[in-house]
Amino acid sequence: MYRSHTCGELRISDVNKQVTLAGWVQRSRKMGGMTFIDLRDRYGITQLVFNEEVDAELCEQANRLGREFVIQIVGTVNERFSKNKNIPTGDIEIIVSELNVLNSALIPPFTIEDNTDGGDDIRMKYRYLDLRRTTVRKNLELRHKMTIEVRKYLDSKGFIEVETPLLIGSTPEGARDFVVPSRMNPGQFYALPQSPQTLKQLLMVSGFDRYFQIAKCFRDEDLRADRQPEFTQIDCEMSFVQQDDVIELFEGMAKYLFKEIRGVELTEPFMRMPWADAMKYYGSDKPDLRFGMKFVELMDIMKGHGFSVFDNAAYIGGICAEGAASYTRKQLDALTEFVKKPQIGAKGMVYARIEADGTVKSSVDKFYTQEVLQQMKAAFGAKPGDLILILSGEDVMKTRKQLNELRLEMGNQLGLRDKNKFALLWIVDFPMFEWSEEEGRLMAMHHPFTHPKDEDIPLLDTNPAAVRADAYDMVCNGIEVGGGSIRIHDAQLQAKMFEILGFTPEKAEEQFGFLMNAFKFGAPPHGGLAYGLDRWVSIFAGLDSIRDCIAFPKNNSGRDVMLDAPSTIDQKQLDELNLIVEVKE
């Protein structure tokens, strides 16, 4: 028996018990003739005591232990004289009578502590060591608990968990596919699924009624803190439902998870905000509603007064930061430089302070009378001590997105984005299509199987760009945590959709014939939703990146620096796959 108890289990009630523990050496301290070792396993830390006067040889053996040595000890539980209130086992220690070194260890490349000295790159290279850190391990324990609760909730609602294949056909709509060459079918390729979309729809045709899967998905796209090339979805589909049915069930699931995982009771229905309003008032289809600063458009007030930047703009809008009039010129200049960053792209920023007496002091005073500035102040409902920040531009949507970045930055600077506060809402009434300059055609904003709003179906023939989708996204704290739609279940409507998206009948048949044919055999009305498991866990754990809630993540270049992947493969493997590799400069 390697251990009778874990390193997080023993308490004062266990005093005088003889126990066997096994784990890793966290740290060692020598004080006079005593040696103290903190022994760590997944469950916690227990202090071990070696006394030179009692057993000099055993104490000397303990002094030779290094960090991360794997050891087993036998000893007696003793009440600790100097108790440690910071750990659950802090009232006891083990007086060791026997020590076995199960494995020695090299000096680790970084300290395996909550506050480590290892940077991201070195921690990812030695991820198996990083996972020993309590802070990282707790994220994976949280992920485990969340998947258990997801399964419990969905099972209680009549869902069946069904696995779908990872080797499927490529569907170029949307993000780029990861492709896998087939040795048995030379010159042909599988794709890894971006989602199980068509397969879960086929399960609805099969009569499974309510399906779910905690599914691995793959997208070959540019990465950032909340995006990985492979990620995990809580993927769900339901038959005989309308939009309200799906929203109500999965809003219930979100409330259940908040209560079970975070102990947060959400009793009010989540707000439902049309996409057009989200873009107009927040410049984003995933607005962070933990704080205000709703956009105010100023075209009617600020245009036509001789300030050419505004006079020539297609959009003028601003935000009001409560209590921020104390910002210094240096801080305001830094904000101007922030919005001018290449990734944001604004040309400049105008500000206005509301003084204690109610007058408005602005960076463009010379162009505007106090009467006009007071109209602007009234439009925001601004009060003395507030700060108004204004952007303008020639492209309405682009300028709104820039203003969104400024709003989020102000939220950060003013401490308004509290990770222990949660603001959830649904974004609904998305446009069905968006124009792609690269493709020179309309593209599906979600995917080609999304059902249009019934009342907008006639517009498919006359003005498809105006069609709204039966689609919905759930947003939490400015992060899209899930989304879905009611699906097309009629083969003729699906064919019409493919036509608008530029598919010839032959191309549609080649890529999606299996689905369209299935619809001809009696497809029920259906819809669904997929939650991003990684994003949910990161929100519940209070993380800025999803990487720390994934056991073995990729870096921002899509590389696994621990496994050194992707990498080249042997020529023999290439020959078997009938592949010739040519790297373009």
Side-chain angles (χ1 to χ4, degrees):
M1 181 173 67
Y2 277 114
R3 59 186 180 184
S4 61
H5 298 78
T6 71
C7 294
E9 184 177 351
L10 297 168
R11 300 291 187 271
I12 197 74
S13 59
D14 296 305
V15 165
N16 295 326
K17 277 185 183 176
Q18 182 165 317
V19 297
T20 304
L21 303 182
W24 287 262
V25 173
Q26 175 86 8
R27 65 179 69 86
S28 177
R29 304 178 302 284
K30 187 170 175 59
M31 300 172 66
M34 308 281 285
T35 297
F36 299 91
I37 286 176
D38 289 344
L39 187 67
R40 181 194 72 240
D41 64 8
R42 170 186 149 194
Y43 304 95
I45 290 175
T46 297
Q47 178 171 283
L48 312 179
V49 181
F50 299 82
N51 191 331
E52 192 175 89
E53 292 184 4
V54 174
D55 191 330
E57 185 180 344
L58 185 65
C59 196
E60 179 56 31
Q61 188 182 358
N63 289 336
R64 292 195 294 269
L65 296 174
R67 278 180 176 257
E68 303 307 311
F69 274 44
V70 184
I71 65 171
Q72 178 196 44
I73 63 95
V74 177
T76 304
V77 181
N78 186 56
E79 183 174 0
R80 192 164 164 173
F81 175 74
S82 178
K83 294 180 171 59
N84 183 349
K85 299 298 182 185
N86 296 320
I87 57 175
T89 60
D91 289 342
I92 59 96
E93 60 192 8
I94 310 298
I95 307 299
V96 178
S97 57
E98 183 181 333
L99 167 64
N100 298 311
V101 177
L102 302 175
N103 218 327
S104 60
L106 297 174
I107 298 172
F110 53 87
T111 56
I112 299 176
E113 305 273 1
D114 285 356
N115 297 315
T116 183
D117 57 358
D120 283 352
D121 289 343
I122 193 84
R123 290 194 303 110
M124 290 306 105
K125 183 174 177 62
Y126 297 95
R127 182 62 165 174
Y128 46 87
L129 298 180
D130 195 43
L131 289 170
R132 293 181 187 174
R133 296 169 55 227
T134 301
T135 50
V136 181
R137 188 192 67 247
K138 282 184 175 178
N139 295 335
L140 295 187
E141 289 173 346
L142 175 67
R143 185 186 183 104
H144 161 75
K145 184 178 180 185
M146 188 161 176
T147 57
I148 295 294
E149 296 300 336
V150 164
R151 286 187 164 101
K152 282 169 60 178
Y153 178 84
L154 291 173
D155 180 64
S156 74
K157 300 297 182 182
F159 283 77
I160 298 173
E161 185 169 10
V162 182
E163 292 183 17
T164 55
L166 291 181
L167 295 175
I168 62 171
S170 180
T171 55
E173 288 289 303
R176 287 181 293 272
D177 287 329
F178 283 102
V179 295
V180 181
S182 170
R183 178 184 60 81
M184 293 182 290
N185 300 277
Q188 296 185 316
F189 296 81
Y190 299 106
L192 301 180
Q194 296 184 30
S195 81
Q197 182 60 52
T198 55
L199 295 162
K200 64 184 178 182
Q201 290 190 251
L202 289 175
L203 285 170
M204 296 303 102
V205 176
S206 302
F208 272 74
D209 189 63
R210 291 190 170 197
Y211 139 96
F212 87 96
Q213 180 181 190
I214 297 179
K216 273 287 187 184
C217 303
F218 307 84
R219 292 178 190 171
D220 187 5
E221 55 189 352
D222 295 336
L223 307 182
R224 55 183 185 233
D226 65 343
R227 185 178 285 170
Q228 286 274 295
E230 54 179 312
F231 56 97
T232 307
Q233 284 185 350
I234 305 166
D235 197 58
C236 308
E237 198 79 0
M238 306 164 67
S239 293
F240 305 111
V241 290
Q242 297 177 324
Q243 178 173 295
D244 284 351
D245 301 315
V246 181
I247 284 178
E248 285 169 15
L249 191 139
F250 289 101
E251 184 171 312
M253 180 169 157
K255 290 177 177 177
Y256 172 83
L257 292 174
F258 267 100
K259 185 176 180 181
E260 295 298 320
I261 305 294
R262 283 297 303 254
V264 174
E265 191 107 33
L266 302 173
T267 56
E268 296 298 316
F270 297 170
M271 179 192 299
R272 299 189 192 183
M273 182 183 293
W275 177 88
D277 285 354
M279 300 308 297
K280 179 177 181 180
Y281 296 120
Y282 299 98
S284 170
D285 57 6
K286 45 183 183 293
D288 187 344
L289 298 189
R290 284 174 292 181
F291 62 103
M293 296 193 214
K294 191 174 180 180
F295 294 0
V296 173
E297 294 189 7
L298 300 166
M299 296 286 285
D300 293 344
I301 298 171
M302 306 303 285
K303 236 176 169 357
H305 295 276
F307 181 45
S308 61
V309 172
F310 284 178
D311 290 347
N312 297 326
Y315 176 85
I316 308 167
I319 56 174
C320 179
E322 291 185 18
S326 58
Y327 263 45
T328 64
R329 181 60 186 265
K330 183 178 179 181
Q331 287 175 297
L332 291 167
D333 287 346
L335 282 175
T336 301
E337 291 306 309
F338 171 80
V339 299
K340 290 167 72 174
K341 285 181 178 179
Q343 62 266 39
I344 298 175
K347 293 179 180 178
M349 182 188 78
V350 169
Y351 67 85
R353 291 189 182 94
I354 313 302
E355 304 290 341
D357 62 1
T359 59
V360 181
K361 180 69 176 172
S362 172
S363 55
V364 290
D365 275 346
K366 65 181 181 180
F367 297 102
Y368 295 95
T369 65
Q370 188 62 211
E371 181 184 356
V372 173
L373 294 175
Q374 287 294 326
Q375 290 177 36
M376 177 191 71
K377 169 187 160 185
F380 285 97
K383 306 179 297 296
D386 292 350
L387 177 68
I388 293 170
L389 303 174
I390 303 170
L391 297 183
S392 63
E394 299 168 4
D395 183 303
V396 174
M397 196 63 76
K398 183 178 178 181
T399 310
R400 284 174 175 164
K401 290 178 179 178
Q402 293 164 351
L403 192 54
N404 168 60
E405 296 295 335
L406 178 59
R407 175 181 179 269
L408 295 178
E409 176 63 16
M410 288 304 296
N412 288 332
Q413 292 191 15
L414 298 174
L416 301 175
R417 304 183 77 188
D418 182 353
K419 290 180 181 176
N420 290 309
K421 182 180 178 182
F422 303 101
L424 292 104
L425 73 154
W426 292 97
I427 302 297
V428 295
D429 296 352
F430 282 86
M432 190 78 189
F433 307 102
E434 56 187 345
W435 182 259
S436 169
E437 293 293 342
E438 184 180 343
E439 296 280 338
R441 64 180 176 90
L442 289 173
M443 301 279 284
M445 181 170 272
H446 281 74
H447 52 65
F449 317 108
T450 301
H451 197 283
K453 291 277 187 187
D454 286 337
E455 60 269 31
D456 289 357
I457 288 177
L459 295 173
L460 290 171
D461 291 316
T462 57
N463 187 12
V467 175
R468 295 167 301 156
D470 244 341
Y472 33 84
D473 281 356
M474 183 186 284
V475 176
C476 177
N477 293 359
I479 299 168
E480 179 198 328
V481 291
S485 66
I486 299 301
R487 324 299 187 189
I488 296 170
H489 64 280
D490 175 79
Q492 287 185 315
L493 181 57
Q494 187 65 72
K496 180 69 177 177
M497 196 62 58
F498 286 142
E499 179 187 333
I500 293 170
L501 292 170
F503 284 74
T504 62
E506 294 75 22
K507 190 69 174 176
E509 176 65 30
E510 178 188 337
Q511 289 193 14
F512 302 110
F514 65 94
L515 184 66
M516 297 172 75
N517 287 334
F519 286 171
K520 296 172 184 176
F521 290 93
H526 59 282
L529 175 143
Y531 276 142
L533 176 64
D534 312 298
R535 291 184 181 180
W536 266 128
V537 176
S538 68
I539 289 170
F540 284 175
L543 302 171
D544 293 320
S545 165
I546 65 172
R547 282 196 294 270
D548 274 337
C549 62
I550 297 172
F552 299 104
K554 310 291 189 290
N555 67 13
N556 281 348
S557 300
R559 293 197 64 81
D560 185 323
V561 293
M562 182 183 69
L563 299 177
D564 193 25
S567 61
T568 57
I569 61 174
D570 292 341
Q571 186 61 47
K572 180 181 178 183
Q573 290 176 280
L574 292 172
D575 292 342
E576 286 178 337
L577 294 167
N578 295 284
L579 292 179
I580 298 172
V581 176
E582 179 182 337
V583 180
K584 294 182 179 179
E585 294 297 329

